[in-house]
Amino acid sequence: MTTTSAAPQTQLSKKQLRKVVFGGSAGVFVEFFDYGIYGFLASTLALVFFPPTAPTAGIIMTWGIFALTFLVRPIGGLVIGSIADRIGRRPALVLSLTLMSGATVGIGLLPGYAVIGVAAPILLLLLRLIQGFSAGGEVASAYSFVAENAPNQSRGFLTSLPQVGSYLAMLCGTSLGVALATFLPAGSLEEWAWRVPFLVAAPLGLLGFWIRRSLDDTVAFLETKKNDDVAHNPLAETIRDKSVLRKVFFAVALALLNSSGYYILFNYMPSFLTREFGFTTGNGLAITSLSIVVMLVAMPSLARLSDRIGRKPVMIAAAATSAIAAIPGYALASTGDFGLAVLGAALMALCFAGHSALIAVCLVELFPTRVRGTAYSLGYNIATAIFGGAAPLVMTSLIAATGQTAIPAYYVVLTAVGSGIAALFMKDGARKPIQ
């Protein structure tokens, strides 16, 4: 096996760089809008796809489907990540977006339990598995695409922008949910309006497909291809190379907080607030939306800070403050007061923002270009599958069994501690050429 020492400093013009960042961010927006709306509408989907006579069982099964889709994320990451390493980042991005958009539109067209019975949740599961497969390959390919084109001195900031796109997608999804729940007559969301966010995936998917098809591949990958250093079997190389394999396990630890933070603090939050504390669907979505606004403001600034002072200080601070803020943040939400719940959610979002802004660029800088798509996907998706995707189901089940609504806060604390310890041993890649 041969290796290149480091990717060259990018020579892209400002116009080309803007196109790269827009292409990566717009594609991530479409992917995460499609993928995230299931979580925002989980309480409604439980009524549509499961017997209404057992609402608790319905919500547990709904989150169970959510969790099962994460089992295929590592598989999708390996398949699409391998395509990214062998053929190029751009083909991988086009494939993942096509799969995601098609499956999302399919969910929007599904008949519910009242029409086709048990076939409804089975078909929902199948389409969600396709979404999970797609999402597994999206993350590493999209963030690598931007980072591999970015100048060394601004890589953290530029790589945070697709992550901002994912939260903007989440904000748009929750805002659409708020609008549907607030302005439509009672019962409309369960009867037909839940389909609207899923069907919006059709025009968004076409737009994203057009954007990604128009992009060139990355400077780093093209240099690797020019040097005839492309990995023919990136998974085998990842497993055989002990230094890379150790980095995969390190990536799992480093991404722990990202997994719990994204899915517990945001995806799971609307359903949690509605079911446990009596907030209306609209208020639950509104609280989450306002905390996402905090993320959108804080993330680019913290990523830019990491380009100046390094990744490690920001990652350690984010983990420490997240561990400290999780329990009081959830306590504020548990009061049932809208204003206090907003304050608690915003506090947790602000603490988490530093980790979320940097996790992508830290993982890009961890792996060499020739196996980056595969190795990044493997480490990230293992963490996400175990500690992110299963979290809402585990939280819902444990709360139902124990009555302890603070369990999600404890979970965030544990994962924050794990990521914080990993960050202490992380090699800082700020302002350095990627391998």
Side-chain angles (χ1 to χ4, degrees):
M1 181 185 76
T2 59
T3 57
T4 54
S5 58
Q9 175 71 29
T10 177
Q11 299 298 313
L12 295 184
S13 67
K14 290 184 178 180
K15 181 178 179 180
Q16 290 172 317
L17 196 55
R18 283 196 297 269
K19 183 179 179 181
V20 164
V21 173
F22 177 74
S25 302
V28 169
F29 175 92
V30 175
E31 283 267 354
F32 279 86
F33 180 89
D34 291 357
Y35 194 66
I37 50 181
Y38 182 98
F40 309 145
L41 296 173
S43 296
T44 301
L45 296 176
L47 299 175
V48 173
F49 287 96
F50 294 94
T53 53
T56 300
I59 191 66
I60 289 175
M61 291 296 291
T62 302
W63 285 120
I65 288 177
F66 184 87
L68 285 173
T69 62
F70 283 78
L71 295 179
V72 299
R73 281 190 64 152
I75 300 173
L78 290 177
V79 173
I80 298 177
S82 178
I83 291 172
D85 287 333
R86 291 186 296 106
I87 302 175
R89 311 317 191 203
R90 187 185 68 118
L93 290 173
V94 172
L95 174 61
S96 65
L97 183 63
T98 302
L99 291 173
M100 178 66 77
S101 298
T104 306
V105 173
I107 292 174
L109 297 174
L110 280 180
Y113 185 89
V115 178
I116 59 174
V118 72
I122 292 174
L123 291 173
L124 177 64
L125 173 61
L126 291 175
L127 290 171
R128 281 293 295 176
L129 289 175
I130 295 173
Q131 285 188 316
F133 183 92
S134 168
E138 169 69 17
V139 175
S141 299
Y143 296 119
S144 295
F145 184 83
V146 174
E148 289 177 359
N149 280 309
N152 296 330
Q153 68 272 16
S154 58
R155 188 187 306 121
F157 170 70
L158 293 176
T159 309
S160 76
L161 297 181
Q163 187 80 318
V164 170
S166 74
Y167 282 97
L168 185 60
M170 189 183 289
L171 178 62
C172 290
T174 54
S175 299
L176 181 55
V178 169
L180 293 173
T182 303
F183 298 110
L184 292 177
S188 297
L189 197 61
E190 293 82 4
E191 291 174 7
W192 61 271
W194 67 269
R195 299 182 185 277
V196 174
F198 291 96
L199 296 179
V200 168
L204 285 179
L206 290 174
L207 174 63
F209 181 86
W210 175 77
I211 291 171
R212 287 189 165 178
R213 285 283 294 176
S214 67
L215 297 171
D216 295 322
D217 225 307
T218 71
V219 171
F221 179 79
L222 292 176
E223 185 71 16
T224 301
K225 190 174 181 179
K226 177 182 176 182
N227 293 336
D228 196 25
D229 195 33
V230 174
H232 298 292
N233 191 337
L235 176 58
E237 291 192 19
T238 297
I239 294 173
R240 284 198 305 262
D241 189 329
K242 292 183 179 180
S243 66
V244 173
L245 191 58
R246 282 195 298 268
K247 290 178 180 180
V248 169
F249 289 111
F250 183 81
V252 173
L254 195 63
L256 289 177
L257 178 56
N258 183 74
S259 301
S260 71
Y262 188 92
Y263 293 101
I264 294 298
L265 296 182
F266 300 105
N267 215 273
Y268 176 63
M269 184 65 79
S271 174
F272 175 74
L273 293 172
T274 301
R275 189 180 63 258
E276 301 299 336
F277 302 124
F279 287 97
T280 64
T281 300
N283 280 345
L285 290 167
I287 291 166
T288 305
S289 297
L290 291 171
S291 67
I292 294 171
V293 172
V294 174
M295 294 287 292
L296 295 176
V297 173
M299 286 172 59
S301 299
L302 291 169
R304 194 180 290 278
L305 178 64
S306 83
D307 284 326
R308 293 201 300 269
I309 69 171
R311 318 288 188 224
K312 184 180 287 192
V314 180
M315 290 287 280
I316 293 173
T321 55
S322 292
I324 294 169
I327 293 176
Y330 267 89
L332 288 171
S334 69
T335 62
D337 180 84
F338 180 82
L340 290 177
V342 170
L343 179 61
L347 174 65
M348 290 186 287
L350 181 61
C351 295
F352 175 60
H355 181 91
S356 188
L358 296 186
I359 185 61
V361 73
C362 287
L363 295 185
V364 167
E365 292 168 347
L366 187 63
F367 298 108
T369 297
R370 59 181 286 113
V371 295
R372 180 172 293 121
T374 303
Y376 182 147
S377 293
L378 188 59
Y380 181 87
N381 284 307
I382 289 174
T384 302
I386 297 174
F387 299 99
L393 173 62
V394 173
M395 299 301 104
T396 302
S397 301
L398 288 176
I399 291 171
T402 66
Q404 296 293 318
T405 56
I407 286 175
Y410 303 145
Y411 188 70
V412 173
V413 172
L414 288 173
T415 54
V417 170
S419 285
I421 293 172
L424 288 171
F425 297 95
M426 181 180 73
K427 289 186 178 180
D428 206 313
R431 301 179 304 279
K432 299 175 183 176
I434 56 176
Q435 301 175 357

